[in-house]
Structure formats: structure tokens, C-alpha cells
Amino acid sequence: MIQVRLPPKLKHLWKRNLPLLAASCAIAGVLATVAIVDHAEQERFREQERADVLNQLSTHRAKLEAALNQRLFLTRGLLSHVSVVDPDITQPEFERLAQTIASESTGIRGFSLYKNSVVSHMYPLKGNESAIGFDPRTIPDERDAIARSIQNRKTIVAGPINLVPEGIAFIGRTPIFLTPPNRPPESGSYWGMVGIIIERDTLFKEAGLIDSSTPLQYALRGKDGLGEKGEIFFGKPQTFQQNPVTLNITLPNGSWQLAAVPLTGWSSVAPISRWIWLGGSVLALATGSLIFILVSAPTRLQSAVERATQELRESQTALERANQELTHLDQLKDEFLANTSHELRTPLNGIIGIAESLVDGATGQLPDITNTNLAMIASAGRRLSTLINDILDFSKLKHQTLELQIKPTEVRAIVDVVLALSRPLIGKKALQLLNSIHPETPLIDADENRLQQILYNLIGNAIKFTETGSVEVSAEIVDNPQNPTPFLAITIADTGIGIPEERFDRIFESFEQADGSTAREYGGTGLGLAVTQQLVQLHGGDIQLTSIVGEGSQFTFTLPISATQIQPLSTKHPIQSLAKAPELIQSSLIQPDSISTQSPEFKILIVDDEPINLQVLANLLSLENYSITQANNGIEALETIEQGFQPDLILLDVMMPRMTGYEVSEKLREKFLPSEIPIVMLTAKNQVSDLVEGFRVGANDYLAKPFNKNELFARIKTHLRLTKINTAYGRFVPQDFLRFLKRDSIVDVQLGDNLQTKMSVLFSDIRSFTELSERMTPQENFAFINSYLGRVSPVIREHNGFIDKYIGDAVMALFPQSPEEALNAAIAMQQQVRLYNQDRLKSGYAAISIGIGLHTGKVMLGTIGEVQRMESTVISDAVNLASRLEGLTKLYGSGIIISSETLCQLENFDRYKYRFLDRVVVKGKKQVVAIFEVYDGDTPVMQQLKSQTKTQFEEAIVWYSRQNFDRARQMFEAVLSANPQDRAAELYLQRCHQYQQEGVREDWNGVAVLLNK
């Protein structure tokens, strides 16, 4: 390798200028990067600016197309009339129809008919008489357009045209083809055209193109639908030369091109560009300075590295000291666990011994329920004893102080005893415990007690993780290549859930479980298998695991076969002195019916996966006269509530299989407020984070196990008292109302709380209630109203509605979910009234009838009043209209009247029996409302009659609205002939007679104006 040696002066100059050169290069590099970033930002800004203009332009295009098509569509009425009803329409009839259609929209200058393409009718005629007889085909451009329109049967839009003095307008012409009898619409010969004159400025103003506040400049081209090839007819021509954003406006016969640019022109520089360069310059100077310092001060850098190295050595030394201290603390911890476990054994043995002696009759015969509770105490004590033994053994194994008492041992006999002791763990499971070890199996060298411990851990785990099937213990002789002594391989096989293969290596680690989550299916500390493995290895054997998830697991451990095959006396019947574990029979647990002989006032649901915990709570609560329902897990609790059971309070464990208490609480709060069903969580997890999580998911209170009995009672009584108060308030303010206002309780409601939402409003009223009321005493009045409301109010709740208020005999209800539920409730109310009438007639009372009005729309829920007196209410035009519709049921003799808004929002309106009633303007409204009668709630006979006459009835209304009263009268008489009780047909018949005698106003269009309620 060739090395170049620089002269000393040049080398000195290079070293002196190297920092400056490096700093300059760094600055240049940063500025180059800034330039690239700025260029990318400029491109992004321009694209975003054009995208913003495009979004606004799309809105204006949609509005312009909608406004134009809406007005062109109005000519369909005239077209249909000429094509179907009257090809020889007179000028007065044409003017009347044109006037009615023109009133439905603004910006319409007039209408015209072109019979054989020559103007034959005009509206307005006054001032336009000269247009009669004009043939637009005399204009060459118009002639070609009209010919294409007739050929394609499509509307053409001409203009804009300056119609002095009317101003600038567009003319739309649509060809008319006659409709022969019993033939498809417009399948006959060409009759002519119908034309409409639309004001340009009205059209553009509605589309937002004429708006002084808009930040854009618009232009349109494509006169007569020629698109981008047509001339500019709106805006400045320069707009199309400024790189505009353009969109095509679709016309029936072509298109217009709409263009837009910002009023101030396109931005040349992105606003953030100056900040990019400012920040980049600062960064370049900072980078250059840093490079200059680093390059010019290598000595200081080297010194800094040395200091850092020294600090790292000191940190490593401190870490080693900390590790030694942690090791010492770990040793102290192990000693503490061992000492504590030893101290726990004495009282624990006393608890187990006394409990078992009482079961055996040491103090005389005890009741079965007491024996069951004592058996649970003994069982819980043994579980704790097993845990203590595991802790002690773990400590001894860790410090290698555990000594084995090795002697020849019979495996089969010990397995029999362990299986017998494990049988109570089965509970209600459909599980078999099988000892498949052959009686002639040779003896093994083992510590008898430790072998029991190994088997008890493995068999206990197998039972815990197996719901159905079997747990089988088998043994076979195997050879060990590394040891001339043969071994006995003992296998515990189950048909349980299995263990994932990725957990095999960790399953024998201390405090390790296959599932360590809060919602794990099974409990435990994770010590059993770790102790088991070390005990097997201490015997000179090994333990292996094979498992398939969903099929089961097999634990196989090996122990050396004894050279002495004569069984010692002491092992003929090992551990015969051990008392048999009392079985915990689930059916012996205290059941809700046996809690108290008195009638309980409150229902409490206790949810825990531990039978002992359920029994403890049942024992305690039985002293307070509560009705108790138990659930073994969260899923069972939710299913119980879904089936209709609603407790007054829930005592909920947190750590449960498959679904934690947190998840159960969260699910319940989706349906019930904290004031409806209070939840008190009971758990051994008492960290602050656990409490916070519990309250976050909707718990009302939290008690850590083991809890104090008096504290439990005090908290339960407090929450039940609050529940009782909230239930009382709920009779006046519906819980649904609180739920909509997002308030947990009535005390959280503030004056002025409000919410706007869409609902269906139901109003019902008893017909002729005043007349009924006058014949009854005050006591009879209240008894009658409460009896009636007791029948119809539950129907509303069954259909997911809630009653906002009772107004005497009237009911106002709200249905937040769907109009179907409101309509189904109305039908069910009518059916309930029919059943109620049967009881009234049997008791000698007159039958009653009710009217129901339904409307769907936006309502405002909230609170009104003042600080000392407020109430909930619903304010909206929808409420007023529903009330008016209920009033119309008397006029039309209908049981249920709904608005067209409600009918249109029914997902499946064909499943209901309904008919069109009228178009009305009710008191307090100016807008025309179409109303329909739903007669599913009528008697079967009346339903059949109304269905038979429905077509004739609705056709008669059409003739009535066209002022053909004679034809309508004949059809209504035919309806009444078939159904004499049809009050609506009778009403229309009276109107026909009245209008035939008195005539109608010029602006009459068939709408009934009803000024009374």
C-alpha cells in the first residue's frame, strides 16, 4: 500500500483548515436536504390546494345538477297528464296544472306545450300570447337538437337565452309520446313537447355559484350542452386560462364544464416554506458548529471517552454489589417463607383436625348443612396445607437441604390412596379416575411421602384441566441406557385441554402456568410442577411431557426399580391412617329458596367460580333475609340476567374463568345504569390499579378478600337503600331518560341537560273519556285510569319504548331504536284494549276505544324548570305532530294513524295492513303531511273489509284530489256499501257532497286544512 507523505507546512495547513472544511461540508449537506424537503412540501401544498378546490367544486356541481334535475322533473306531471289522461288538454286546464307544479319550486318562469313541435299552450299566457304558434324548428340549431330529442326520447336543455324582460334563463324541452289503452307508458305516437323556463340566477344561486363570501372564482362553458367546446356563458373567460380545476355538469343532452380557481390566484409558495428554510438554516449552523467542535477537539473527545469508560466501570462495580445484595435478600426471603410456612402449619392442622372431628361426631350428631360447611373448611385447609408444603419443599430443594427416605415402595397401592383422596376434586365433572397399574408391578426405590406428593400434584393437575373423559395412571418397565438399573415409567394421562407445544419448556419453571391471565380457566400458584420435577430428579429419574391441545396431556416420570422385591410390612397398606377427605356435594350448597323462611325484600346475585366462596357468602347473607341466586362464572351470570332475572345487587368476583369480573361489569353497564343494578366487586387483588379498573368498568364498590362481615353488610345495605331510592325516582323519571342524558343517577342530572336525537313518538288517548269520567266518582276515575294504564304501559316497555309522561288518560311514549317497535307497540296496545274490554263487559262496564298517533322525527330531551323545581320533558315538532295525529283518529274513525315519515322508515312495511288516508295541514303547522291508517289492531272482520276495499278507497281519493267529485262520490258509496262502518269513507262522502254544492277555492289542491286538534 502506497502512503503519501505531505510536507510539514501543508500538513499543518490541512490540520488547521480541516475543521472549517468539515463544518462547511456539513452545512452544505443540511441545506441540500432542506432544499429537497422544501421542494417536496411545495408539491404537496399545490396538490392539497387543488384538492381543496376540487372538494368545493364537487359540492357545487352536485347542487347544480340536483337543482336543475329537480326542476326538469316537474315537467313529468304535465307530460303524464297529456300522455295518459287528456291529450286534448285545454288552456285553462293547462294553466291550472302548471300553476300547481310551479308552486312546488322557485325560479320557474313558465311552462309551454309544443303540439307537433309548435307552441300551443303557455303559462303564464298573459304577456306571452305572441309565442303561441312559434315553431322552434325554424332555428337550425334548435331543429337538430329537437330531432335528436325525439329520436332519443330525452330532454334537451337550451341556453342560457336572454328572454327580455324575463331575464336570462334555460329552456328544457321533453318529448311527449301518447299512452294507448292497456299499453306500456308512452309507447304510442309522438304528440309534441313540454317545455319549462328556468331562471339562470336562481339556479346558480341555489348551487352556490353566486355567493360573495366564496373564496373561489367560478366560470361555466358549454352553452346548449356542448361541454368544453361550447362558449362561456357564466363567469370570466380568464378563469379557463388560469389552470383551473374543472368538472363536467351532466345534462340530458350533453354537458357543461364548471371551472374554479382561488380568487387570489394559486399560491406560489407554501406558507410553511419560510419556516422550513429558517429551521434548516438553524440546523445547518448547529450541525456545522458541532462538526467544527468535534473535529477541532479530538483530545477533549478522547478525554470524554475515557471518563465515560471509567463511569461504566464504576457502574459495573455498583451493579455487582447490588446483585450480591439482591442475592442476600433473596436468601432472606426464602428463609422467611420457610419459617412462616412452618408457623402456619400448627394452626392449620388445628383447623383441619377440629373440622374433621366435628364431622365425625366428636360433639354429637350435627345437621347435614353444618357437616357440609365443615367439610368445606377441611377441604380449604388441605388446599392451603398443600400450598405450604410446596413452598417448604421449594425452599429446601433450592438450598439442597431436602433429604429422601428411600425404601422399596409399592406404586399401585399408593396410586389407589392418592386417587381416593383426589376424588372430591371431581365435583360435578363427568370424569373417571382409573388405576391401570398391574398388581404384579415391581417395587421401586422411592421416598413414600414424596411419591405421594408427586402423584398428588400430577393427578390434581389432570383433574383440574379435564372436564370430561378420564384420568388414567399406568406403569411400564423401561431400560435406561446410561444406567444398568431398570426403571419404572409411571404415566398420568388425561383427556383435558392439553398444553401448547411452545409452553413445554417453561411449564416446569417456578411460578409458571399455561395461562397467567386474570381470566384464566384454572387457578394455582405454578409451584406444583416445579417441585414435582425436582423431586423426580432427586430420585434419579426424569419427567417428560407429551400433549395435544384439545385432546389431552401425558406426564411420564421414571423411578428406579428396587433390588429388593419383598414388600415391607409398612407398605402393604400405605397411609391407612389418613382420614378420607369429605366430598363437597354441590347440591348441598345453600340454595336461594332455603335462605330464609320470610319473604325476601331484595334479590342478590353472587358470582364466583369457587364453591367455597359461594357458600361463605350464602351463609352470611342468609342471616339478613336476602333472596340469593348463584352463578359459577361470568358467562352464567350474564345468561341468568338475559333470561329476565334482574337482581337488586351483584357481588362479583374479579378473577374468574373465561370472563373476568371486569368484563362482566362492562357488559352489564351497556344495558343497566349503576343506579339500576349496583355491582360490588370482591377480590384478593387490592392494588390501586385494580380498584381504578373496577370503577372504570362500572363497579359501584370494591371489597378486598378476606372481608369483614360487618363491613360487607354495611356496604350491601347502603347500596340497596340507594337502589330503592333510585327505583322510586325511576317511577317519575324513566331510567331510559337518564341513559340518553348519559347520567348514572338522578342526582347527576342538572338543570338544562339536553340531547337531540331521532325517535318515534307515540300518543294515545281514550275516546270520549270526559263523558266516561262524568259518570264515575273520583275514586272510580283513578281506579279506571290505573287499571287501563296497567294494561297498556307494559306493552310499551316490552317493545323497547319508555313512557315520557301520563297526561290524564293520555300516554306519551318514545321509541329510540326503530319505528317498527313503535308501530308494533301501537298494534299490541289496540289488541290489549280488546282483551281489557272483554273483562269490562263481564263486569258490567262499557267498552272503551283508544286512538293512537305515531310520528318519527328529531326530538330534544332535557330538563326544564328552576333550581328548586325541575322536571324532564321532550320538546319538538315531532311531539306536537304525533299529538295531532292522535286527534285525527277521532275524525277518520281510525285506531292508529301514522305519518308518511314513519311509514317510509319502516324496514318492512309490506308486513303491515295500511291504507292512505289524506294529505292534511294540522293546527300549528304549515307543511302538508301525508297520513296513513294502520288497521292491524282492528278486529279480524274489520281488517278483512278494509283490505278488500283498500284499492277502491285509495283510487277514490285520487279522483277526489283531482276535483272529480262525482266519480269519487260513486266509489266512496261503493266502499260504504261493502263496509258501512268505514268512517273515513263516510267523511270523504260528506266532503264530496259539500264541494259539489258549494264549490272549491281556486288554489284548492285536495289538502285538508284542520284547525282543530
Side-chain angles (χ1 to χ4, degrees):
M1 183 176 179
I2 302 175
Q3 294 184 348
V4 179
R5 293 184 177 274
L6 296 175
K9 289 185 178 180
L10 188 60
K11 187 175 182 181
H12 175 72
L13 183 64
W14 169 257
K15 286 185 178 180
R16 189 179 66 181
N17 293 325
L18 179 61
L20 183 62
L21 180 62
S24 301
C25 292
I27 292 173
V30 172
L31 291 178
T33 303
V34 170
I36 294 172
V37 172
D38 179 63
H39 177 73
E41 173 59 25
Q42 297 285 3
E43 291 295 322
R44 187 204 65 78
F45 174 74
R46 293 189 186 97
E47 291 177 2
Q48 183 61 46
E49 188 177 24
R50 291 187 70 84
D52 293 341
V53 173
L54 179 61
N55 287 337
Q56 296 183 54
L57 198 63
S58 299
T59 302
H60 293 309
R61 178 183 68 172
K63 289 181 178 179
L64 183 56
E65 288 181 346
L68 179 62
N69 290 331
Q70 175 196 358
R71 289 164 174 80
L72 291 176
F73 187 74
L74 293 176
T75 61
R76 296 298 302 177
L78 289 170
L79 186 150
S80 300
H81 187 87
V82 173
S83 175
V84 179
V85 179
D86 188 4
D88 299 320
I89 185 171
T90 62
Q91 176 66 27
E93 176 69 9
F94 169 73
E95 287 194 65
R96 187 184 68 80
L97 291 175
Q99 182 183 11
T100 301
I101 295 173
S103 66
E104 296 184 15
S105 185
T106 58
I108 298 176
R109 284 292 184 184
F111 292 93
S112 57
L113 288 178
Y114 300 77
K115 190 169 184 179
N116 294 322
S117 302
V118 177
V119 178
S120 58
H121 300 71
M122 283 293 298
Y123 170 78
L125 181 60
K126 186 176 181 180
N128 295 309
E129 294 87 350
S130 59
I132 301 296
F134 170 70
D135 187 350
R137 292 177 297 181
T138 58
I139 303 172
D141 292 341
E142 294 284 335
R143 182 171 57 250
D144 295 340
I146 290 171
R148 288 194 302 273
S149 174
I150 295 171
Q151 181 180 358
N152 299 330
R153 298 191 176 217
K154 289 185 177 180
T155 302
I156 59 171
V157 179
I161 300 172
N162 192 358
L163 301 174
V164 180
E166 288 83 356
I168 301 175
F170 296 99
I171 299 177
R173 300 189 183 97
T174 305
I176 301 174
F177 293 87
L178 296 177
T179 302
N182 301 321
R183 295 282 301 280
E186 301 183 56
S187 59
S189 61
Y190 171 69
W191 183 89
M193 295 184 295
V194 58
I196 182 172
I197 302 173
I198 305 170
E199 292 180 355
R200 184 199 67 175
D201 290 349
T202 301
L203 195 65
F204 289 175
K205 187 174 182 180
E206 190 171 326
L209 299 180
I210 305 176
D211 185 357
S212 59
S213 63
T214 182
L216 301 180
Q217 176 179 301
Y218 303 100
L220 272 166
R221 66 183 176 188
K223 184 177 179 182
D224 295 329
L226 295 179
E228 61 180 344
K229 297 181 181 179
E231 64 180 84
I232 299 171
F233 60 85
F234 175 76
K236 297 180 180 180
Q238 297 90 330
T239 302
F240 285 96
Q241 300 170 4
Q242 297 176 8
N243 189 25
V245 177
T246 60
L247 288 174
N248 287 332
I249 309 295
T250 303
L251 303 176
N253 62 316
S255 64
W256 297 334
Q257 190 176 61
L258 176 61
V261 296
L263 278 175
T264 56
W266 300 107
S267 301
S268 58
V269 179
I272 201 175
S273 178
R274 67 184 66 179
W275 297 106
I276 292 176
W277 279 105
L278 179 61
S281 301
V282 172
L283 179 62
L285 289 174
T287 304
S289 301
L290 181 62
I291 294 297
F292 184 85
I293 293 171
L294 291 175
V295 175
S296 63
T299 305
R300 282 181 291 176
L301 182 60
Q302 184 177 0
S303 175
V305 170
E306 290 175 354
R307 283 198 304 273
T309 303
Q310 181 62 29
E311 290 175 359
L312 184 61
R313 290 197 187 98
E314 292 174 358
S315 298
Q316 187 173 0
T317 303
L319 183 61
E320 290 175 354
R321 285 198 301 269
N323 283 336
Q324 292 173 0
E325 187 175 348
L326 286 174
T327 303
H328 177 64
L329 291 174
D330 185 54
Q331 184 177 357
L332 291 177
K333 180 261 297 178
D334 290 339
E335 292 174 359
F336 171 76
L337 284 176
N339 293 334
T340 304
S341 299
H342 277 294
E343 292 300 322
L344 285 173
R345 275 184 163 180
T346 300
L348 190 58
N349 287 334
I351 292 171
I352 297 172
I354 292 173
E356 290 182 343
S357 66
L358 290 173
V359 171
D360 292 338
T363 61
Q365 187 66 29
L366 298 176
D368 291 341
I369 194 74
T370 304
N371 285 330
T372 300
N373 280 283
L374 290 171
M376 285 187 171
I377 293 173
S379 177
R382 285 195 189 84
R383 286 178 58 184
L384 185 55
S385 178
T386 301
L387 176 60
I388 291 172
N389 289 335
D390 282 345
I391 294 174
L392 285 171
D393 291 343
F394 178 73
S395 177
K396 290 178 180 178
L397 288 167
K398 186 173 183 180
H399 295 94
Q400 300 180 355
T401 59
L402 183 67
E403 296 181 1
L404 299 179
Q405 302 297 322
I406 301 295
K407 58 183 176 181
T409 305
E410 184 185 358
V411 178
R412 178 180 170 81
I414 292 179
V415 169
D416 275 337
V417 173
V418 173
L419 290 179
L421 289 173
S422 302
R423 200 167 302 280
L425 301 176
I426 296 175
K428 291 184 177 180
K429 296 180 180 180
L431 193 60
Q432 285 185 307
L433 301 183
L434 304 175
N435 184 355
S436 299
I437 298 178
H438 196 274
E440 302 299 325
T441 301
L443 304 181
I444 59 172
D445 284 331
D447 185 318
E448 194 174 279
N449 292 323
R450 298 305 174 188
L451 178 57
Q452 292 176 44
Q453 188 175 352
I454 293 169
L455 289 169
Y456 193 82
N457 277 335
L458 294 178
I459 293 172
N461 275 346
I463 294 173
K464 184 193 302 182
F465 295 103
T466 306
E467 291 296 322
T468 60
S470 64
V471 174
E472 183 180 8
V473 184
S474 59
E476 63 175 344
I477 299 173
V478 294
D479 293 328
N480 189 344
Q482 300 176 354
N483 195 323
T485 304
F487 277 72
L488 186 69
I490 303 167
T491 300
I492 293 87
D494 64 64
T495 56
I497 60 174
I499 301 171
E501 189 173 352
E502 62 270 16
R503 307 287 300 182
F504 283 10
D505 293 336
R506 299 183 57 190
I507 200 70
F508 293 104
E509 294 179 9
S510 305
F511 308 105
E512 182 66 28
Q513 294 170 323
D515 180 6
S517 65
T518 302
R520 67 179 186 263
E521 182 81 34
Y522 309 96
T525 61
L527 271 178
L529 287 178
V531 171
T532 297
Q533 184 186 44
Q534 293 184 58
L535 287 176
V536 170
Q537 291 173 348
L538 203 59
H539 280 81
D542 194 14
I543 186 168
Q544 301 292 332
L545 163 65
T546 58
S547 180
I548 299 176
V549 175
E551 295 185 11
S553 303
Q554 290 185 349
F555 284 88
T556 301
F557 65 94
T558 57
L559 295 176
I561 294 177
S562 176
T564 304
Q565 289 301 314
I566 299 175
Q567 183 174 345
L569 266 175
S570 61
T571 60
K572 286 287 184 182
H573 302 286
I575 51 176
Q576 287 293 324
S577 60
L578 285 176
K580 182 180 178 182
E583 296 190 10
L584 303 182
I585 304 172
Q586 296 290 331
S587 60
S588 66
L589 290 173
I590 295 179
Q591 299 299 321
D593 294 340
S594 62
I595 295 300
S596 174
T597 57
Q598 303 176 15
S599 177
E601 183 180 3
F602 295 107
K603 298 173 289 186
I604 296 181
L605 174 63
I606 53 179
V607 188
D608 202 308
D609 61 315
E610 283 286 351
I612 292 178
N613 291 342
L614 289 173
Q615 186 66 20
V616 169
L617 288 170
N619 288 348
L620 292 175
L621 297 176
S622 65
L623 305 173
E624 296 293 320
N625 190 31
Y626 295 131
S627 173
I628 299 172
T629 301
Q630 302 173 4
N632 294 315
N633 53 62
I635 296 174
E636 184 180 330
L638 292 176
E639 288 175 351
T640 301
I641 293 175
E642 284 294 327
Q643 292 167 4
F645 175 71
Q646 184 169 341
D648 297 299
L649 182 137
I650 298 176
L651 297 177
L652 180 63
D653 185 33
V654 172
M655 296 182 65
M656 292 188 295
R658 290 177 288 180
M659 179 178 279
T660 68
Y662 298 140
E663 294 171 312
V664 175
S665 180
E666 206 163 23
K667 283 286 185 184
L668 288 173
R669 288 296 172 250
E670 293 175 3
K671 188 174 181 181
F672 300 101
L673 294 172
S675 57
E676 289 182 275
I677 301 182
I679 298 174
V680 178
M681 286 192 167
L682 305 175
T683 180
K685 301 181 72 175
N686 59 356
Q687 298 297 318
V688 174
S689 59
D690 301 323
L691 272 65
V692 171
E693 178 64 13
F695 290 125
R696 186 191 70 80
V697 297
N700 298 65
D701 209 343
Y702 211 106
L703 269 178
K705 297 177 184 176
F707 47 79
N708 180 275
K709 177 186 71 172
N710 294 328
E711 183 182 3
L712 174 67
F713 286 161
R715 297 203 185 192
I716 288 177
K717 288 177 180 177
T718 299
H719 288 295
L720 289 178
R721 192 177 301 113
L722 290 173
T723 300
K724 198 170 183 179
I725 294 172
N726 283 315
T727 302
Y729 276 123
R731 297 173 184 170
F732 298 93
V733 180
Q735 295 289 349
D736 303 80
F737 196 91
L738 298 179
R739 194 173 289 110
F740 275 108
L741 293 180
K742 296 182 179 178
R743 296 290 184 261
D744 292 338
S745 169
I746 187 69
V747 298
D748 299 326
V749 176
Q750 302 293 324
L751 183 64
D753 284 348
N754 65 87
L755 171 75
Q756 186 176 34
T757 186
K758 192 172 187 179
M759 291 187 182
S760 294
V761 184
L762 179 149
F763 249 95
S764 73
D765 199 3
I766 299 177
R767 301 266 177 80
S768 305
F769 174 72
T770 303
E771 182 181 341
L772 285 170
S773 177
E774 290 173 349
R775 298 199 296 266
M776 294 186 288
T777 65
Q779 183 177 358
E780 290 172 337
N781 263 297
F782 279 99
F784 163 63
I785 291 177
N786 291 333
S787 174
Y788 158 71
L789 294 177
R791 292 293 189 102
V792 299
S793 298
V795 171
I796 293 172
R797 289 191 293 272
E798 288 169 6
H799 290 83
N800 297 319
F802 67 93
I803 297 166
D804 177 63
K805 57 174 62 71
Y806 296 113
I807 312 167
D809 62 305
V811 179
M812 174 184 166
L814 302 175
F815 292 83
Q817 296 187 16
S818 71
E820 273 90 355
E821 292 179 332
L823 182 53
N824 291 337
I827 295 169
M829 286 172 68
Q830 291 287 1
Q831 294 169 346
Q832 190 63 237
V833 168
R834 286 211 307 274
L835 297 174
Y836 181 51
N837 282 332
Q838 293 176 9
D839 294 338
R840 284 181 61 82
L841 292 172
K842 289 179 183 177
S843 302
Y845 297 111
I848 65 169
S849 61
I850 65 172
I852 301 175
L854 276 179
H855 177 63
T856 303
K858 287 187 177 180
V859 299
M860 293 182 291
L861 296 88
T863 55
I864 59 172
E866 45 90 21
V867 176
Q868 298 301 322
R869 174 70 173 91
M870 61 181 177
E871 67 176 24
S872 63
T873 190
V874 180
I875 304 171
S876 101
D877 184 58
V879 173
N880 176 58
L881 182 53
S883 174
R884 301 300 185 208
L885 295 182
E886 181 277 319
L888 294 181
T889 61
K890 306 179 185 71
L891 179 65
Y892 291 92
S894 304
I896 303 171
I897 291 182
I898 67 174
S899 64
S900 56
E901 285 81 358
T902 299
L903 179 69
C904 291
Q905 293 185 46
L906 296 174
E907 291 185 2
N908 188 9
F909 55 80
D910 291 335
R911 59 188 287 257
Y912 299 101
K913 298 186 176 96
Y914 68 93
R915 64 179 183 175
F916 175 76
L917 270 187
D918 206 346
R919 290 189 304 145
V920 300
V921 175
V922 297
K923 184 179 180 181
K925 285 185 66 70
K926 295 181 180 180
Q927 186 178 357
V928 177
V929 180
I931 61 174
F932 295 81
E933 176 189 20
V934 178
Y935 51 89
D936 293 80
D938 291 0
T939 62
V941 174
M942 186 59 69
Q943 290 183 39
Q944 183 178 4
L945 290 173
K946 287 184 179 179
S947 295
Q948 289 175 355
T949 58
K950 174 183 175 180
T951 303
Q952 199 171 17
F953 176 81
E954 292 179 341
E955 189 176 348
I957 294 177
V958 174
W959 290 113
Y960 168 82
S961 63
R962 292 180 179 177
Q963 301 184 23
N964 193 337
F965 299 116
D966 187 58
R967 179 76 178 273
R969 180 179 54 79
Q970 295 174 11
M971 300 186 75
F972 283 126
E973 287 174 347
V975 171
L976 283 170
S977 176
N979 183 10
Q981 297 179 7
D982 195 329
R983 179 73 183 87
E986 185 179 346
L987 175 64
Y988 271 110
L989 189 59
Q990 293 172 3
R991 291 177 179 175
C992 288
H993 284 301
Q994 178 185 349
Y995 291 144
Q996 281 182 315
Q997 293 173 5
E998 301 175 3
V1000 296
R1001 302 186 311 273
E1002 287 188 9
D1003 61 345
W1004 188 86
N1005 55 4
V1007 175
V1009 180
L1010 306 172
L1011 300 180
N1012 297 324
K1013 180 181 181 295

